[in-house]
Amino acid sequence: MKRKTVCFALLFLTLVSNTAFAANWVYYGRSAIVRGNVFIDSDSVYKNGDNASYWQLLVYDKPIGTAAKLTTKYEVILAPARKYRIADSRYYLANNQEDKEMNEW
């Protein structure tokens, strides 16, 4: 009986616990504006009719200030007059911690 209770408790905790979603960064190419490599999170690509959104990661060759990486969420209209907007962007240090100094800009 005790064993069943422990197994049920473990099962319950794994089902109820918070889930962390990892990004699946796929190499896209070199940046034309800033020297660095560009990656797209293939798990975040979402398309709904003529609208799409995705996350992009730019890893700088040399840090700019204190920032070594930049993540940007793009929302795109895929109609003939294509338009996009930046919905969110965040700078990160080389150790993957948020760069509070750059993010305050």
Side-chain angles (χ1 to χ4, degrees):
M1 180 68 178
K2 203 174 202 181
R3 187 174 184 180
K4 286 184 181 179
T5 305
V6 170
C7 289
F8 178 76
L10 288 174
L11 179 65
F12 179 77
L13 288 174
T14 56
L15 292 175
V16 175
S17 65
N18 290 339
T19 304
F21 296 100
N24 185 17
W25 297 109
V26 177
Y27 179 74
Y28 181 73
R30 297 282 296 163
S31 172
I33 301 169
V34 179
R35 290 186 154 204
N37 293 318
V38 177
F39 299 86
I40 303 289
D41 178 13
S42 65
D43 291 342
S44 73
V45 176
Y46 176 73
K47 184 174 182 273
N48 183 12
D50 283 344
N51 299 324
S53 67
Y54 64 93
W55 280 91
Q56 173 183 296
L57 169 66
L58 173 59
V59 180
Y60 301 124
D61 288 344
K62 293 181 181 176
I64 297 176
T66 56
K69 302 173 185 179
L70 170 66
T71 58
T72 308
K73 181 177 183 180
Y74 288 97
E75 293 179 350
V76 183
I77 298 174
L78 302 172
R82 294 180 186 215
K83 297 179 183 178
Y84 74 93
R85 78 179 189 104
I86 296 174
D88 190 8
S89 64
R90 297 177 188 189
Y91 291 93
Y92 291 91
L93 303 171
N95 63 0
N96 293 329
Q97 291 182 343
E98 278 197 59
D99 187 347
K100 296 185 189 313
E101 181 181 322
M102 291 288 286
N103 286 331
E104 288 178 1
W105 287 12

